[in-house]
Amino acid sequence: MDKREQILEAAANLIAEQGLQSSPVSQVAKQACCGAGTIYRYFETKESLIEELFVLMLQRLTIACLEGDESSRTPEQRLRHIWANTYNYLHENERDCVLLDHLAACPSISEEIRAEALENIHSVLFALLDQGKADGIIKDLPNEVLATFAYGGLATIAKKRRIAPHMMGIQINNEMLTQLCWDAIRT
């Protein structure tokens, strides 16, 4: 791992553990085993470090979500597959799930950076949602609303399952979760 990657991983661990406001550059430097000056050699500001970390986390999530996606499947099958991958990633990667929560609420990440980071996953999801709407099988709502609803539900279930699995009351499986997501957006 090169120094830039060490800094990003140290920042990811620290922010996931302590939150964004409680993770100054000095602590990131300590965790990355370097000086604060080294961090500023790679990143102009703390905000640029945070933005790059946000992009990296969304790249990882996107790769996981789209793994095994096959264009020969129906929009419903593809969406269910992507949702199952999303849930599995969030459930299995606790740090990244917590980190994405922190970074999603970060006001210093510009809308331009957010749009760029989401472009790959949105291009696939939005095309599937548009096809489903054209076929009359998905509610005619803005894609952003439909995608946010599905992701938010999956992320919340993953978080609750980690924090208090006994509170869920039943064994959660991908079929159940993807059916809930599908039921929420289908006509």
Side-chain angles (χ1 to χ4, degrees):
M1 191 181 310
D2 71 12
K3 187 53 75 178
R4 178 184 211 85
E5 291 169 333
Q6 283 180 308
I7 293 167
L8 287 166
E9 285 301 311
N13 290 334
L14 204 58
I15 294 166
E17 187 178 305
Q18 298 179 181
L20 198 52
Q21 299 302 329
S22 300
S23 301
V25 170
S26 60
Q27 282 191 333
V28 173
K30 185 176 180 181
Q31 184 138 350
C33 299
C34 68
T38 302
I39 291 178
Y40 290 116
R41 240 181 287 159
Y42 291 98
F43 307 95
E44 287 184 32
T45 62
K46 181 180 178 183
E47 289 73 25
S48 64
L49 169 63
I50 299 305
E51 285 181 341
E52 192 163 327
L53 186 56
F54 179 71
V55 169
L56 176 64
M57 289 298 105
L58 280 172
Q59 286 172 344
R60 289 179 183 174
L61 178 63
T62 298
I63 289 167
C65 290
L66 298 180
E67 185 179 337
D69 181 36
E70 296 176 14
S71 60
S72 61
R73 296 177 178 163
T74 67
E76 178 184 354
Q77 291 169 328
R78 290 182 70 194
L79 286 167
R80 284 174 173 260
H81 179 81
I82 290 167
W83 292 331
N85 284 351
T86 301
Y87 175 75
N88 291 336
Y89 181 83
L90 295 172
H91 178 66
E92 294 165 7
N93 296 278
E94 180 177 353
R95 184 209 65 183
D96 291 2
C97 184
V98 171
L99 185 58
L100 284 165
D101 277 351
H102 286 298
L103 296 177
C106 180
S108 69
I109 299 174
S110 71
E111 285 304 312
E112 181 182 1
I113 295 293
R114 286 181 195 282
E116 285 177 27
L118 289 164
E119 186 176 342
N120 289 337
I121 190 66
H122 278 182
S123 67
V124 174
L125 281 178
F126 290 3
L128 290 171
L129 294 170
D130 286 340
Q131 182 61 51
K133 287 188 265 185
D135 294 345
I137 60 172
I138 292 178
K139 291 178 174 116
D140 190 19
L141 293 170
N143 289 338
E144 189 70 43
V145 170
L146 297 170
T148 300
F149 187 86
Y151 176 82
L154 296 169
T156 301
I157 294 291
K159 187 184 330 180
K160 283 189 173 198
R161 186 169 172 204
R162 273 193 319 276
I163 293 170
H166 62 281
M167 292 181 68
M168 299 306 287
I170 57 171
Q171 181 63 32
I172 302 293
N173 63 48
N174 286 348
E175 179 62 32
M176 183 186 311
L177 290 174
T178 61
Q179 186 64 49
L180 286 169
C181 289
W182 181 250
D183 287 346
I185 71 165
R186 72 182 173 131
T187 53

